[in-house]
mmCIF file of all heavy atoms in Angstrom:
data_model
loop_
_atom_site.group_PDB
_atom_site.id
_atom_site.type_symbol
_atom_site.label_atom_id
_atom_site.label_comp_id
_atom_site.label_asym_id
_atom_site.label_seq_id
_atom_site.Cartn_x
_atom_site.Cartn_y
_atom_site.Cartn_z
ATOM 1 N N LYS L 1 10.518 -3.279 -3.581
ATOM 2 C CA LYS L 1 11.733 -2.629 -3.070
ATOM 3 C C LYS L 1 12.467 -1.771 -4.089
ATOM 4 O O LYS L 1 12.867 -0.643 -3.797
ATOM 5 C CB LYS L 1 12.682 -3.688 -2.514
ATOM 6 C CG LYS L 1 12.495 -3.955 -1.039
ATOM 7 C CD LYS L 1 13.666 -4.738 -0.481
ATOM 8 C CE LYS L 1 13.549 -4.861 1.024
ATOM 9 N NZ LYS L 1 14.645 -5.644 1.606
ATOM 10 N N GLY L 2 12.706 -2.296 -5.271
ATOM 11 C CA GLY L 2 13.597 -1.636 -6.214
ATOM 12 C C GLY L 2 12.933 -0.513 -7.001
ATOM 13 O O GLY L 2 11.710 -0.386 -7.048
ATOM 14 N N SER L 3 13.752 0.281 -7.665
ATOM 15 C CA SER L 3 13.226 1.395 -8.465
ATOM 16 C C SER L 3 12.459 0.881 -9.675
ATOM 17 O O SER L 3 11.539 1.542 -10.163
ATOM 18 C CB SER L 3 14.375 2.306 -8.919
ATOM 19 O OG SER L 3 15.284 1.612 -9.763
ATOM 20 N N GLY L 4 12.812 -0.314 -10.178
ATOM 21 C CA GLY L 4 12.075 -0.895 -11.296
ATOM 22 C C GLY L 4 10.649 -1.218 -10.917
ATOM 23 O O GLY L 4 9.706 -0.922 -11.653
ATOM 24 N N ALA L 5 10.474 -1.814 -9.736
ATOM 25 C CA ALA L 5 9.131 -2.137 -9.250
ATOM 26 C C ALA L 5 8.333 -0.867 -8.979
ATOM 27 O O ALA L 5 7.149 -0.771 -9.313
ATOM 28 C CB ALA L 5 9.233 -2.972 -7.979
ATOM 29 N N LYS L 6 8.972 0.130 -8.383
ATOM 30 C CA LYS L 6 8.269 1.378 -8.057
ATOM 31 C C LYS L 6 7.803 2.109 -9.312
ATOM 32 O O LYS L 6 6.686 2.636 -9.367
ATOM 33 C CB LYS L 6 9.174 2.286 -7.224
ATOM 34 C CG LYS L 6 9.374 1.806 -5.783
ATOM 35 C CD LYS L 6 10.259 2.776 -5.016
ATOM 36 C CE LYS L 6 10.311 2.438 -3.526
ATOM 37 N NZ LYS L 6 10.979 1.176 -3.251
ATOM 38 N N SER L 7 8.632 2.158 -10.341
ATOM 39 C CA SER L 7 8.258 2.877 -11.563
ATOM 40 C C SER L 7 7.263 2.088 -12.401
ATOM 41 O O SER L 7 6.374 2.670 -13.030
ATOM 42 C CB SER L 7 9.504 3.184 -12.401
ATOM 43 O OG SER L 7 10.129 1.981 -12.827
ATOM 44 N N GLN L 8 7.389 0.753 -12.398
ATOM 45 C CA GLN L 8 6.530 -0.076 -13.239
ATOM 46 C C GLN L 8 5.066 0.001 -12.811
ATOM 47 O O GLN L 8 4.166 0.000 -13.633
ATOM 48 C CB GLN L 8 7.007 -1.535 -13.197
ATOM 49 C CG GLN L 8 6.308 -2.452 -14.185
ATOM 50 C CD GLN L 8 6.654 -2.126 -15.621
ATOM 51 O OE1 GLN L 8 7.756 -1.696 -15.945
ATOM 52 N NE2 GLN L 8 5.694 -2.301 -16.513
ATOM 53 N N PHE L 9 4.827 0.067 -11.504
ATOM 54 C CA PHE L 9 3.461 -0.006 -10.999
ATOM 55 C C PHE L 9 2.923 1.330 -10.479
ATOM 56 O O PHE L 9 1.865 1.369 -9.868
ATOM 57 C CB PHE L 9 3.388 -1.051 -9.870
ATOM 58 C CG PHE L 9 3.910 -2.406 -10.261
ATOM 59 C CD1 PHE L 9 4.916 -3.021 -9.524
ATOM 60 C CD2 PHE L 9 3.414 -3.069 -11.370
ATOM 61 C CE1 PHE L 9 5.399 -4.268 -9.888
ATOM 62 C CE2 PHE L 9 3.893 -4.314 -11.741
ATOM 63 C CZ PHE L 9 4.889 -4.915 -10.997
ATOM 64 N N LYS L 10 3.625 2.442 -10.715
ATOM 65 C CA LYS L 10 3.252 3.705 -10.071
ATOM 66 C C LYS L 10 1.868 4.180 -10.495
ATOM 67 O O LYS L 10 1.119 4.735 -9.669
ATOM 68 C CB LYS L 10 4.308 4.774 -10.338
ATOM 69 C CG LYS L 10 4.451 5.211 -11.789
ATOM 70 C CD LYS L 10 5.511 6.303 -11.913
ATOM 71 C CE LYS L 10 5.659 6.754 -13.355
ATOM 72 N NZ LYS L 10 6.695 7.807 -13.483
ATOM 73 N N ASN L 11 1.488 3.997 -11.761
ATOM 74 C CA ASN L 11 0.164 4.439 -12.196
ATOM 75 C C ASN L 11 -0.940 3.613 -11.533
ATOM 76 O O ASN L 11 -1.968 4.151 -11.112
ATOM 77 C CB ASN L 11 0.051 4.344 -13.717
ATOM 78 C CG ASN L 11 0.873 5.407 -14.418
ATOM 79 O OD1 ASN L 11 1.185 6.452 -13.844
ATOM 80 N ND2 ASN L 11 1.256 5.149 -15.661
ATOM 81 N N GLU L 12 -0.724 2.294 -11.447
ATOM 82 C CA GLU L 12 -1.702 1.426 -10.786
ATOM 83 C C GLU L 12 -1.783 1.737 -9.293
ATOM 84 O O GLU L 12 -2.857 1.656 -8.699
ATOM 85 C CB GLU L 12 -1.350 -0.050 -10.999
ATOM 86 C CG GLU L 12 -1.913 -0.624 -12.273
ATOM 87 C CD GLU L 12 -1.947 -2.152 -12.249
ATOM 88 O OE1 GLU L 12 -1.614 -2.756 -11.215
ATOM 89 O OE2 GLU L 12 -2.315 -2.736 -13.278
ATOM 90 N N VAL L 13 -0.651 2.061 -8.690
ATOM 91 C CA VAL L 13 -0.649 2.422 -7.266
ATOM 92 C C VAL L 13 -1.515 3.654 -7.035
ATOM 93 O O VAL L 13 -2.297 3.715 -6.079
ATOM 94 C CB VAL L 13 0.797 2.664 -6.757
ATOM 95 C CG1 VAL L 13 0.782 3.310 -5.377
ATOM 96 C CG2 VAL L 13 1.571 1.345 -6.704
ATOM 97 N N HIS L 14 -1.397 4.643 -7.921
ATOM 98 C CA HIS L 14 -2.201 5.860 -7.793
ATOM 99 C C HIS L 14 -3.697 5.531 -7.880
ATOM 100 O O HIS L 14 -4.511 6.044 -7.096
ATOM 101 C CB HIS L 14 -1.814 6.847 -8.899
ATOM 102 C CG HIS L 14 -2.531 8.156 -8.819
ATOM 103 N ND1 HIS L 14 -2.350 9.049 -7.787
ATOM 104 C CD2 HIS L 14 -3.454 8.717 -9.646
ATOM 105 C CE1 HIS L 14 -3.116 10.110 -7.983
ATOM 106 N NE2 HIS L 14 -3.800 9.930 -9.098
ATOM 107 N N ILE L 15 -4.065 4.656 -8.812
ATOM 108 C CA ILE L 15 -5.468 4.234 -8.953
ATOM 109 C C ILE L 15 -5.917 3.478 -7.705
ATOM 110 O O ILE L 15 -7.028 3.677 -7.195
ATOM 111 C CB ILE L 15 -5.626 3.345 -10.206
ATOM 112 C CG1 ILE L 15 -5.365 4.162 -11.474
ATOM 113 C CG2 ILE L 15 -7.026 2.719 -10.253
ATOM 114 C CD1 ILE L 15 -5.260 3.336 -12.733
ATOM 115 N N ALA L 16 -5.040 2.617 -7.185
ATOM 116 C CA ALA L 16 -5.384 1.813 -6.007
ATOM 117 C C ALA L 16 -5.609 2.684 -4.775
ATOM 118 O O ALA L 16 -6.504 2.401 -3.963
ATOM 119 C CB ALA L 16 -4.275 0.797 -5.742
ATOM 120 N N VAL L 17 -4.803 3.729 -4.617
ATOM 121 C CA VAL L 17 -4.969 4.625 -3.468
ATOM 122 C C VAL L 17 -6.323 5.327 -3.542
ATOM 123 O O VAL L 17 -7.033 5.461 -2.536
ATOM 124 C CB VAL L 17 -3.819 5.652 -3.412
ATOM 125 C CG1 VAL L 17 -4.101 6.727 -2.364
ATOM 126 C CG2 VAL L 17 -2.499 4.954 -3.108
ATOM 127 N N LYS L 18 -6.705 5.766 -4.751
ATOM 128 C CA LYS L 18 -8.026 6.391 -4.925
ATOM 129 C C LYS L 18 -9.138 5.399 -4.601
ATOM 130 O O LYS L 18 -10.128 5.737 -3.946
ATOM 131 C CB LYS L 18 -8.177 6.890 -6.366
ATOM 132 C CG LYS L 18 -7.466 8.188 -6.652
ATOM 133 C CD LYS L 18 -7.844 8.676 -8.055
ATOM 134 C CE LYS L 18 -7.287 10.065 -8.303
ATOM 135 N NZ LYS L 18 -7.670 10.561 -9.647
ATOM 136 N N TRP L 19 -8.979 4.165 -5.096
ATOM 137 C CA TRP L 19 -9.981 3.111 -4.843
ATOM 138 C C TRP L 19 -10.116 2.855 -3.348
ATOM 139 O O TRP L 19 -11.211 2.750 -2.819
ATOM 140 C CB TRP L 19 -9.567 1.842 -5.583
ATOM 141 C CG TRP L 19 -10.334 0.611 -5.193
ATOM 142 C CD1 TRP L 19 -11.551 0.210 -5.654
ATOM 143 C CD2 TRP L 19 -9.913 -0.385 -4.252
ATOM 144 N NE1 TRP L 19 -11.918 -0.978 -5.063
ATOM 145 C CE2 TRP L 19 -10.939 -1.363 -4.198
ATOM 146 C CE3 TRP L 19 -8.777 -0.555 -3.452
ATOM 147 C CZ2 TRP L 19 -10.862 -2.477 -3.380
ATOM 148 C CZ3 TRP L 19 -8.708 -1.663 -2.642
ATOM 149 C CH2 TRP L 19 -9.732 -2.608 -2.594
ATOM 150 N N HIS L 20 -8.973 2.770 -2.676
ATOM 151 C CA HIS L 20 -8.979 2.478 -1.245
ATOM 152 C C HIS L 20 -9.619 3.619 -0.456
ATOM 153 O O HIS L 20 -10.338 3.396 0.529
ATOM 154 C CB HIS L 20 -7.552 2.236 -0.762
ATOM 155 C CG HIS L 20 -7.445 1.267 0.361
ATOM 156 N ND1 HIS L 20 -7.777 1.583 1.656
ATOM 157 C CD2 HIS L 20 -7.076 -0.029 0.389
ATOM 158 C CE1 HIS L 20 -7.585 0.530 2.425
ATOM 159 N NE2 HIS L 20 -7.166 -0.462 1.684
ATOM 160 N N SER L 21 -9.392 4.842 -0.879
ATOM 161 C CA SER L 21 -9.935 6.013 -0.181
ATOM 162 C C SER L 21 -11.459 6.059 -0.230
ATOM 163 O O SER L 21 -12.106 6.575 0.680
ATOM 164 C CB SER L 21 -9.378 7.295 -0.804
ATOM 165 O OG SER L 21 -7.977 7.331 -0.688
ATOM 166 N N LYS L 22 -12.027 5.511 -1.288
ATOM 167 C CA LYS L 22 -13.484 5.519 -1.452
ATOM 168 C C LYS L 22 -14.159 4.339 -0.747
ATOM 169 O O LYS L 22 -15.380 4.268 -0.692
ATOM 170 C CB LYS L 22 -13.835 5.495 -2.936
ATOM 171 C CG LYS L 22 -13.422 6.754 -3.672
ATOM 172 C CD LYS L 22 -13.720 6.641 -5.159
ATOM 173 C CE LYS L 22 -13.262 7.882 -5.905
ATOM 174 N NZ LYS L 22 -13.495 7.760 -7.358
ATOM 175 N N GLY L 23 -13.356 3.390 -0.238
ATOM 176 C CA GLY L 23 -13.917 2.215 0.411
ATOM 177 C C GLY L 23 -14.416 2.517 1.819
ATOM 178 O O GLY L 23 -14.222 3.610 2.359
ATOM 179 N N ILE L 24 -15.032 1.517 2.424
ATOM 180 C CA ILE L 24 -15.585 1.671 3.770
ATOM 181 C C ILE L 24 -14.483 1.954 4.787
ATOM 182 O O ILE L 24 -14.630 2.767 5.692
ATOM 183 C CB ILE L 24 -16.364 0.397 4.174
ATOM 184 C CG1 ILE L 24 -17.566 0.211 3.246
ATOM 185 C CG2 ILE L 24 -16.833 0.473 5.620
ATOM 186 C CD1 ILE L 24 -18.302 -1.088 3.456
ATOM 187 N N ALA L 25 -13.351 1.267 4.611
ATOM 188 C CA ALA L 25 -12.264 1.402 5.583
ATOM 189 C C ALA L 25 -11.479 2.691 5.413
ATOM 190 O O ALA L 25 -10.811 3.150 6.335
ATOM 191 C CB ALA L 25 -11.320 0.209 5.474
ATOM 192 N N GLY L 26 -11.566 3.296 4.238
ATOM 193 C CA GLY L 26 -10.769 4.485 3.982
ATOM 194 C C GLY L 26 -9.310 4.130 3.731
ATOM 195 O O GLY L 26 -8.959 2.976 3.526
ATOM 196 N N LYS L 27 -8.455 5.124 3.734
ATOM 197 C CA LYS L 27 -7.034 4.890 3.482
ATOM 198 C C LYS L 27 -6.431 3.994 4.561
ATOM 199 O O LYS L 27 -6.854 4.009 5.716
ATOM 200 C CB LYS L 27 -6.266 6.210 3.427
ATOM 201 C CG LYS L 27 -6.468 6.971 2.129
ATOM 202 C CD LYS L 27 -5.493 8.143 2.035
ATOM 203 C CE LYS L 27 -5.630 8.847 0.693
ATOM 204 N NZ LYS L 27 -4.686 9.962 0.543
ATOM 205 N N LEU L 28 -5.404 3.230 4.129
ATOM 206 C CA LEU L 28 -4.717 2.335 5.051
ATOM 207 C C LEU L 28 -3.727 3.132 5.902
ATOM 208 O O LEU L 28 -2.972 3.946 5.393
ATOM 209 C CB LEU L 28 -3.972 1.265 4.243
ATOM 210 C CG LEU L 28 -3.465 0.036 4.978
ATOM 211 C CD1 LEU L 28 -4.639 -0.764 5.532
ATOM 212 C CD2 LEU L 28 -2.648 -0.833 4.023
ATOM 213 N N HIS L 29 -3.757 2.901 7.216
ATOM 214 C CA HIS L 29 -2.822 3.557 8.130
ATOM 215 C C HIS L 29 -1.981 2.507 8.834
ATOM 216 O O HIS L 29 -2.358 1.330 8.901
ATOM 217 C CB HIS L 29 -3.585 4.400 9.162
ATOM 218 C CG HIS L 29 -4.392 5.500 8.550
ATOM 219 N ND1 HIS L 29 -3.838 6.683 8.115
ATOM 220 C CD2 HIS L 29 -5.716 5.589 8.275
ATOM 221 C CE1 HIS L 29 -4.775 7.462 7.601
ATOM 222 N NE2 HIS L 29 -5.936 6.815 7.695
ATOM 223 N N GLU L 30 -0.847 2.949 9.352
ATOM 224 C CA GLU L 30 0.077 2.001 9.978
ATOM 225 C C GLU L 30 -0.590 1.216 11.104
ATOM 226 O O GLU L 30 -0.318 0.030 11.298
ATOM 227 C CB GLU L 30 1.303 2.757 10.501
ATOM 228 C CG GLU L 30 2.421 1.847 10.958
ATOM 229 C CD GLU L 30 3.677 2.623 11.343
ATOM 230 O OE1 GLU L 30 3.812 3.797 10.959
ATOM 231 O OE2 GLU L 30 4.524 2.020 12.036
ATOM 232 N N ILE L 31 -1.486 1.846 11.826
ATOM 233 C CA ILE L 31 -2.141 1.172 12.950
ATOM 234 C C ILE L 31 -3.094 0.058 12.493
ATOM 235 O O ILE L 31 -3.448 -0.842 13.248
ATOM 236 C CB ILE L 31 -2.908 2.210 13.810
ATOM 237 C CG1 ILE L 31 -3.266 1.612 15.161
ATOM 238 C CG2 ILE L 31 -4.150 2.710 13.069
ATOM 239 C CD1 ILE L 31 -3.850 2.624 16.129
ATOM 240 N N ASP L 32 -3.492 0.098 11.201
ATOM 241 C CA ASP L 32 -4.438 -0.877 10.664
ATOM 242 C C ASP L 32 -3.777 -2.172 10.189
ATOM 243 O O ASP L 32 -4.466 -3.128 9.843
ATOM 244 C CB ASP L 32 -5.198 -0.277 9.467
ATOM 245 C CG ASP L 32 -5.913 1.007 9.825
ATOM 246 O OD1 ASP L 32 -6.471 1.069 10.929
ATOM 247 O OD2 ASP L 32 -5.902 1.940 8.989
ATOM 248 N N LEU L 33 -2.463 -2.222 10.115
ATOM 249 C CA LEU L 33 -1.775 -3.332 9.452
ATOM 250 C C LEU L 33 -1.934 -4.647 10.204
ATOM 251 O O LEU L 33 -1.781 -4.706 11.427
ATOM 252 C CB LEU L 33 -0.285 -3.005 9.306
ATOM 253 C CG LEU L 33 0.067 -1.721 8.539
ATOM 254 C CD1 LEU L 33 1.568 -1.558 8.450
ATOM 255 C CD2 LEU L 33 -0.562 -1.719 7.143
ATOM 256 N N ASP L 34 -2.213 -5.717 9.439
ATOM 257 C CA ASP L 34 -2.221 -7.057 10.031
ATOM 258 C C ASP L 34 -0.776 -7.550 10.106
ATOM 259 O O ASP L 34 0.142 -6.894 9.580
ATOM 260 C CB ASP L 34 -3.134 -8.000 9.238
ATOM 261 C CG ASP L 34 -2.673 -8.221 7.797
ATOM 262 O OD1 ASP L 34 -1.444 -8.228 7.545
ATOM 263 O OD2 ASP L 34 -3.538 -8.401 6.919
ATOM 264 N N PRO L 35 -0.500 -8.706 10.736
ATOM 265 C CA PRO L 35 0.892 -9.156 10.917
ATOM 266 C C PRO L 35 1.677 -9.289 9.608
ATOM 267 O O PRO L 35 2.863 -8.920 9.554
ATOM 268 C CB PRO L 35 0.728 -10.506 11.614
ATOM 269 C CG PRO L 35 -0.546 -10.371 12.376
ATOM 270 C CD PRO L 35 -1.440 -9.530 11.508
ATOM 271 N N TYR L 36 1.043 -9.803 8.546
ATOM 272 C CA TYR L 36 1.765 -9.953 7.281
ATOM 273 C C TYR L 36 2.049 -8.589 6.658
ATOM 274 O O TYR L 36 3.166 -8.346 6.165
ATOM 275 C CB TYR L 36 0.961 -10.817 6.305
ATOM 276 C CG TYR L 36 1.680 -11.057 5.001
ATOM 277 C CD1 TYR L 36 2.722 -11.985 4.919
ATOM 278 C CD2 TYR L 36 1.351 -10.340 3.845
ATOM 279 C CE1 TYR L 36 3.400 -12.193 3.730
ATOM 280 C CE2 TYR L 36 2.025 -10.547 2.662
ATOM 281 C CZ TYR L 36 3.050 -11.477 2.603
ATOM 282 O OH TYR L 36 3.727 -11.683 1.421
ATOM 283 N N GLN L 37 1.069 -7.706 6.664
ATOM 284 C CA GLN L 37 1.291 -6.362 6.139
ATOM 285 C C GLN L 37 2.386 -5.638 6.927
ATOM 286 O O GLN L 37 3.208 -4.924 6.350
ATOM 287 C CB GLN L 37 -0.009 -5.556 6.188
ATOM 288 C CG GLN L 37 -1.080 -6.032 5.225
ATOM 289 C CD GLN L 37 -2.406 -5.343 5.455
ATOM 290 O OE1 GLN L 37 -2.734 -4.959 6.584
ATOM 291 N NE2 GLN L 37 -3.187 -5.171 4.390
ATOM 292 N N ARG L 38 2.398 -5.835 8.240
ATOM 293 C CA ARG L 38 3.430 -5.230 9.082
ATOM 294 C C ARG L 38 4.811 -5.755 8.695
ATOM 295 O O ARG L 38 5.792 -4.998 8.657
ATOM 296 C CB ARG L 38 3.126 -5.523 10.553
ATOM 297 C CG ARG L 38 4.256 -5.232 11.536
ATOM 298 C CD ARG L 38 4.694 -3.791 11.538
ATOM 299 N NE ARG L 38 3.634 -2.894 11.986
ATOM 300 C CZ ARG L 38 3.818 -1.580 12.118
ATOM 301 N NH1 ARG L 38 4.981 -1.030 11.817
ATOM 302 N NH2 ARG L 38 2.817 -0.814 12.527
ATOM 303 N N LYS L 39 4.885 -7.043 8.390
ATOM 304 C CA LYS L 39 6.157 -7.640 7.965
ATOM 305 C C LYS L 39 6.667 -6.966 6.686
ATOM 306 O O LYS L 39 7.857 -6.637 6.568
ATOM 307 C CB LYS L 39 5.971 -9.141 7.747
ATOM 308 C CG LYS L 39 7.224 -9.892 7.356
ATOM 309 C CD LYS L 39 6.919 -11.377 7.188
ATOM 310 C CE LYS L 39 8.178 -12.163 6.800
ATOM 311 N NZ LYS L 39 7.888 -13.595 6.618
ATOM 312 N N LEU L 40 5.777 -6.750 5.723
ATOM 313 C CA LEU L 40 6.159 -6.083 4.481
ATOM 314 C C LEU L 40 6.534 -4.626 4.732
ATOM 315 O O LEU L 40 7.520 -4.127 4.184
ATOM 316 C CB LEU L 40 5.016 -6.154 3.458
ATOM 317 C CG LEU L 40 4.541 -7.531 3.010
ATOM 318 C CD1 LEU L 40 3.536 -7.388 1.861
ATOM 319 C CD2 LEU L 40 5.696 -8.415 2.579
ATOM 320 N N PHE L 41 5.742 -3.953 5.577
ATOM 321 C CA PHE L 41 5.988 -2.545 5.889
ATOM 322 C C PHE L 41 7.362 -2.374 6.540
ATOM 323 O O PHE L 41 8.127 -1.466 6.181
ATOM 324 C CB PHE L 41 4.885 -2.026 6.808
ATOM 325 C CG PHE L 41 4.999 -0.566 7.146
ATOM 326 C CD1 PHE L 41 4.645 0.408 6.220
ATOM 327 C CD2 PHE L 41 5.459 -0.163 8.389
ATOM 328 C CE1 PHE L 41 4.751 1.763 6.531
ATOM 329 C CE2 PHE L 41 5.564 1.183 8.708
ATOM 330 C CZ PHE L 41 5.211 2.147 7.778
ATOM 331 N N ASP L 42 7.689 -3.257 7.465
ATOM 332 C CA ASP L 42 8.991 -3.183 8.142
ATOM 333 C C ASP L 42 10.139 -3.488 7.182
ATOM 334 O O ASP L 42 11.282 -3.096 7.426
ATOM 335 C CB ASP L 42 9.031 -4.154 9.327
ATOM 336 C CG ASP L 42 8.116 -3.708 10.470
ATOM 337 O OD1 ASP L 42 7.720 -2.527 10.484
ATOM 338 O OD2 ASP L 42 7.797 -4.559 11.332
ATOM 339 N N ASP L 43 9.832 -4.207 6.095
ATOM 340 C CA ASP L 43 10.857 -4.560 5.106
ATOM 341 C C ASP L 43 11.009 -3.490 4.029
ATOM 342 O O ASP L 43 11.830 -3.640 3.126
ATOM 343 C CB ASP L 43 10.501 -5.906 4.461
ATOM 344 C CG ASP L 43 11.637 -6.481 3.651
ATOM 345 O OD1 ASP L 43 12.777 -6.552 4.169
ATOM 346 O OD2 ASP L 43 11.405 -6.844 2.475
ATOM 347 N N GLY L 44 10.207 -2.422 4.102
ATOM 348 C CA GLY L 44 10.367 -1.321 3.154
ATOM 349 C C GLY L 44 9.191 -1.069 2.242
ATOM 350 O O GLY L 44 9.224 -0.146 1.417
ATOM 351 N N CYS L 45 8.129 -1.871 2.338
ATOM 352 C CA CYS L 45 6.940 -1.666 1.521
ATOM 353 C C CYS L 45 6.157 -0.469 2.073
ATOM 354 O O CYS L 45 5.904 -0.386 3.283
ATOM 355 C CB CYS L 45 6.075 -2.932 1.543
ATOM 356 S SG CYS L 45 4.643 -2.854 0.459
ATOM 357 N N THR L 46 5.759 0.456 1.207
ATOM 358 C CA THR L 46 5.052 1.650 1.665
ATOM 359 C C THR L 46 3.557 1.361 1.847
ATOM 360 O O THR L 46 3.034 0.361 1.334
ATOM 361 C CB THR L 46 5.210 2.798 0.662
ATOM 362 O OG1 THR L 46 4.530 2.451 -0.558
ATOM 363 C CG2 THR L 46 6.679 3.066 0.367
#
């Protein structure tokens, strides 16, 4: 949620997005979210 968390992990997030894009499932989309992921997404997690 906070700006500290967003700035601390931003480089790893960029690497993770690239990793996810190369996977079988491809990038994560809102329609793909399971119930727990949806809970986080609704709480502000991107």
Side-chain angles (χ1 to χ4, degrees):
K1 268 194 173 178
S3 63
K6 287 181 172 67
S7 63
Q8 188 68 33
F9 306 125
K10 66 179 180 180
N11 288 337
E12 273 199 5
V13 168
H14 183 66
I15 294 170
V17 171
K18 282 188 173 181
W19 168 83
H20 212 284
S21 299
K22 294 177 182 178
I24 296 173
K27 284 190 176 181
L28 195 64
H29 298 282
E30 190 174 342
I31 195 172
D32 303 320
L33 302 182
D34 63 34
Y36 182 77
Q37 291 171 330
R38 167 60 64 177
K39 182 179 180 181
L40 300 188
F41 183 76
D42 290 343
D43 192 50
C45 185
T46 67

